[in-house]
């Protein structure tokens, strides 16, 4: 019987996509996927280092998998951003781990699974070859992530990503288009172009041009992208939201803070006025979402008040907010505690500020969703179980509904109930049918936790 692998994925879309690529590399070497860690010969944890909590999750997961190793000899591998950050040190803290591999080394996973070891070298930008997706592993899915670029050349003072993902490398556009066409051929209807900073893309054309080229792929219904840095938001990209019909009206443009003085300490390279001027150019109806960090070193009551004031006048559709977490190698960690400007914010105060930010946004998101009650929204079906369907609206709001549509159909849903996280309703019509009805159950290549 084939050896079985199980991948536990933490972190962002980049990691989800890397997990899929690693699953494909293992499949080519004769491994098969399995649905539970308990039935696996290899457990691979794909990790995130963005905040300390993310790292803690790795060690608690490893604690569980270690027991499997003791009882049935399961091999354990650690991939992703913590692997890149800790390298050999990870083996000191968790000696039962068999191998460690960084994000540039995805293709090495079958070898390492056999031999063990640590592989966290960077591949030079000029030599880097993006792993090509095997479209078969997306068969039966309505949506897919497609890598547009990797790494990040910014130096935001709070962020570990430049140290775990290396320099920016853009993927040649012809490769991206070929991959999307192959995904559409197996039934994928929506692609999300991913990268830590996708709008600084330079793989032979600009990011705006890339979107227009993707828009020419026959059969594709929806285009999304994430994440963007406000500094690299070009007028051409804004124009895409007006002109490219299949580009969905949702834009995640993380601001991080509403006070210029904090943005300067964060090294974000824009002012709030510049940010506001840019978002003002977007067409009405584009859902805008963002990230906010509370309790950044030195954050004063006044800066926090500016943050709240900014959030009050900026109508985000939804918001992810976090308490600042000091990360290794970063500029803010080096300065943390040096003078009042970089004073550490006590946890209780940071938490209180976070709660204020979240309360403000919660009310707004609830209100936005409630306003949809009684209207009809357009949803791409991603999941179908019995009469229950799940999908997302054009604005990227989750929708649960009852209906008979297939995975991949675009349907109209009448909204009956709404909450903070999702809409609830009933299918009232099919707008666009998936080109074929073969729907295989979603293969469990990877389990994802937030
Ligand atoms: N490349 C994206 C962000 C990637 S990380 C961008 O530039 O917008 C996702 C989010 O995690 C960030 O937007 C930020 O809000 C948050 N984050 C990153 N580092 C953090 C840290 N050290 N502490 C708290 N939140 C952090
Ligand atoms: Fe991190 Fe800034 Fe790069 Fe985003 S742009 S990944 S926040 S360094
Ligand atoms: Fe986490 Fe690495 Fe993504 S730190 S957010 S998995 S790039």
């Amino acid at each position: 019987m084939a050896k079985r692998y199980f991948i536990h994925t933490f972190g962002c879309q980049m990691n989800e996509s890397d997990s899929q690529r690693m699953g494909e590399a293992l499949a080519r070497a004769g491994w098969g996927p399995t649905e539970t860690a308990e039935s696996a010969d290899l457990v691979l944890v794909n990790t995130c280092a963005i905040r300390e909590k993310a790292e803690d999750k790795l060690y608690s997961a490893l604690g569980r998998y270690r027991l499997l190793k003791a009882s049935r000899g399961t091999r354990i591998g650690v991939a992703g951003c913590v692997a890149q950050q800790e390298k050999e040190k990870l083996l000191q803290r968790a000696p039962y781990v068999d191998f460690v591999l960084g994000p540039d080394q995805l293709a090495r996973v079958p070898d390492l699974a056999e031999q063990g070891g640590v592989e966290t070298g960077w591949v030079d930008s000029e030599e880097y070859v993006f792993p090509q997706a095997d479209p078969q592993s997306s068969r039966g899915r309505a949506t897919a992530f497609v890598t547009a670029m990797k790494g990040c050349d910014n130096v935001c003072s709070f962020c570990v990503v430049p140290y775990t993902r290396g320099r920016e490398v853009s993927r040649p556009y012809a490769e991206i288009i070929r991959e999307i066409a192959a995904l559409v051929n197996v039934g994928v209807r929506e692609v999300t172009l991913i990268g830590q900073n996708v709008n600084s893309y330079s793989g032979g054309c600009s990011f705006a041009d890339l979107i227009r080229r993707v828009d020419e792929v026959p059969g594709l219904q929806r285009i999304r992208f994430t994440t963007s840095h406000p500094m690299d938001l070009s007028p051409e990209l804004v124009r895409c939201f007006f002109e490219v019909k299949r580009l969905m009206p949702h834009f995640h443009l993380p601001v991080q803070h509403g006070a210029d003085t904090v943005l300067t300490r964060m090294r974000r390279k824009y002012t709030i006025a510049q940010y506001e001027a840019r978002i003002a150019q977007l067409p009405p109806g584009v859902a805008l979402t963002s990230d906010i960090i509370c309790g950044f070193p030195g954050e004063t009551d006044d800066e926090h008040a500016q943050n709240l004031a900014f959030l009050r006048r900026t109508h985000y559709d939804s918001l992810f907010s976090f308490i600042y977490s000091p990360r290794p190698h970063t500029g803010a960690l080096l300065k943390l505690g040096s003078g009042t400007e970089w004073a550490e914010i006590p946890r209780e105060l940071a938490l209180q500020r976070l709660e204020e930010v979240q309360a403000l946004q919660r009310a707004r998101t609830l209100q936005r969703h409630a306003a949809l009650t009684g209207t009809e929204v357009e949803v791409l079906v991603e999941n179908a179980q019995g009469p229950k369907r799940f999908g997302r609206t054009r604005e990227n709001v989750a929708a649960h509904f009852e209906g008979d549509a297939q995975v991949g159909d675009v349907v109209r849903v009448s909204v009956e109930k709404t909450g903070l996280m999702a809409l609830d309703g009933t299918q009232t019509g099919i707008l666009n049918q998936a080109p074929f009805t073969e729907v295989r159950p979603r293969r469990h290549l990877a389990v994802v936790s937030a």
Side-chain angles (χ1 to χ4, degrees):
M1 212 176 80
K3 293 162 296 178
R4 306 295 203 105
Y5 71 86
F6 176 82
I7 308 182
H8 188 165
T9 307
F10 295 97
C12 63
Q13 294 93 339
M14 253 64 65
N15 263 14
E16 270 189 65
S17 149
D18 288 354
S19 287
Q20 212 180 341
R21 297 297 85 75
M22 288 191 284
E24 292 161 6
L26 286 165
R28 282 192 293 273
W31 293 78
T34 177
E35 311 244 328
T36 62
E38 287 69 25
S39 56
D41 304 295
L42 163 67
V43 171
L44 187 57
V45 191
N46 196 7
T47 60
C48 173
I50 202 79
R51 287 168 289 274
E52 199 177 354
K53 230 177 161 170
E55 250 184 275
D56 294 345
K57 285 187 196 161
L58 159 66
Y59 292 104
S60 75
L62 283 180
R64 278 180 279 130
Y65 297 140
R66 178 188 194 170
L67 303 176
L68 292 177
K69 177 163 206 162
S71 62
R72 56 191 307 276
T74 312
R75 293 183 79 72
I76 302 176
V78 178
C81 288
V82 181
Q84 188 63 44
Q85 178 187 290
E86 297 298 311
K87 306 185 180 72
E88 294 78 15
K89 278 192 294 197
L90 216 150
L91 296 182
Q92 283 157 26
R93 177 150 176 197
Y96 47 89
V97 166
D98 295 290
F99 66 97
V100 176
L101 92 159
D104 261 15
Q105 303 289 339
L106 304 181
R108 297 268 294 124
V109 67
D111 293 347
L112 284 165
E114 298 297 341
Q115 299 150 18
V118 177
E119 202 68 77
T120 51
W122 297 117
V123 177
D124 260 0
S125 308
E126 299 81 53
E127 282 160 30
Y128 187 80
V129 180
F130 284 86
Q132 196 79 21
D134 173 0
Q136 294 310 327
S137 78
S138 292
R139 192 180 278 280
R141 297 188 189 188
T143 64
F145 293 130
V146 174
T147 305
M149 51 94 69
K150 68 166 203 101
C152 181
D153 283 350
N154 289 311
V155 281
C156 304
S157 64
F158 51 83
C159 183
V160 77
V161 169
Y163 309 95
T164 64
R165 294 275 166 167
R167 301 303 302 263
E168 280 178 13
V169 187
S170 292
R171 191 176 182 194
Y173 69 80
E175 236 179 74
I176 298 176
I177 301 298
R178 216 179 311 128
E179 184 165 302
I180 294 175
L183 288 166
V184 170
N185 260 329
V186 299
V188 168
R189 317 224 73 208
E190 170 185 301
V191 292
T192 303
L193 298 166
I194 58 169
Q196 278 300 349
N197 194 9
V198 278
N199 52 5
S200 71
Y201 174 83
S202 64
C205 65
S206 70
F207 189 60
D209 282 338
L210 176 66
I211 288 179
R212 290 178 190 271
R213 285 173 203 258
V214 174
D215 189 45
E216 283 165 16
V217 176
L220 187 66
Q221 294 297 310
R222 290 176 161 196
I223 308 169
R224 302 185 187 276
F225 63 88
T226 198
T227 300
S228 308
H229 189 291
M231 247 342 251
D232 299 311
L233 171 54
S234 66
E236 289 73 31
L237 184 57
V238 171
R239 218 158 42 237
C240 285
F241 279 108
F242 284 92
E243 293 170 4
V244 180
K245 293 283 166 287
R246 292 186 286 178
L247 177 62
M248 289 297 105
H250 169 226
F251 197 8
H252 186 59
L253 193 65
V255 68
Q256 312 299 355
H257 207 277
D260 285 342
T261 42
V262 177
L263 290 174
T264 304
R265 295 204 295 286
M266 287 180 164
R267 296 218 258 171
R268 287 293 284 186
K269 299 189 285 191
Y270 51 82
T271 62
I272 277 298
Q274 283 169 331
Y275 181 93
E276 294 189 286
R278 285 187 187 201
I279 58 175
Q281 310 291 316
L282 291 167
V286 172
L288 192 65
T289 60
S290 194
D291 296 342
I292 287 279
I293 295 178
C294 295
F296 187 74
E299 188 189 52
T300 62
D301 286 340
D302 179 55
E303 285 169 338
H304 173 59
Q306 288 180 56
N307 197 18
L308 290 176
F310 164 77
L311 290 171
R312 261 183 226 111
R313 64 180 188 265
T314 309
H315 290 239
Y316 284 127
D317 286 74
S318 80
L319 187 70
F320 299 93
S321 41
F322 314 98
I323 290 185
Y324 167 73
S325 169
R327 302 318 289 139
H329 314 294
T330 56
L333 175 69
L334 295 175
K335 298 209 187 82
L336 187 62
S338 61
T340 46
E341 213 197 345
W342 289 93
E344 190 168 355
I345 304 302
R347 201 178 152 76
E348 305 78 70
L349 182 57
L351 194 61
Q352 186 191 319
R353 288 175 178 171
L354 179 78
E355 275 163 9
E356 287 173 45
V357 163
Q358 292 187 337
L360 198 157
Q361 184 61 43
R362 201 177 305 123
R364 184 161 282 152
T365 305
L366 280 170
Q367 204 178 24
R368 299 217 143 201
H369 290 172
L372 293 170
T373 309
T375 70
E376 291 202 319
V377 292
E378 206 178 296
V379 175
L380 170 65
V381 183
E382 291 178 31
N383 230 312
Q385 259 166 3
K388 297 216 181 307
R389 299 289 178 273
F390 171 81
R392 288 178 178 277
T393 68
R394 292 168 56 82
E395 292 77 14
N396 209 34
V397 180
H400 300 275
F401 58 99
E402 298 223 334
D404 60 2
Q406 305 270 355
V407 168
D409 290 346
V410 180
V411 298
R412 242 193 336 256
V413 171
S414 148
V415 180
E416 286 142 13
K417 254 187 4 215
T418 65
L420 188 60
M421 303 305 289
L423 315 174
D424 251 290
T426 308
Q427 175 189 325
T428 54
I430 296 187
L431 292 165
N432 187 305
Q433 219 150 16
F436 37 84
T437 50
E438 177 210 11
V439 178
R440 285 205 217 158
R442 200 181 149 128
R443 272 171 73 189
H444 282 267
L445 283 167
V447 171
V448 179
S449 9

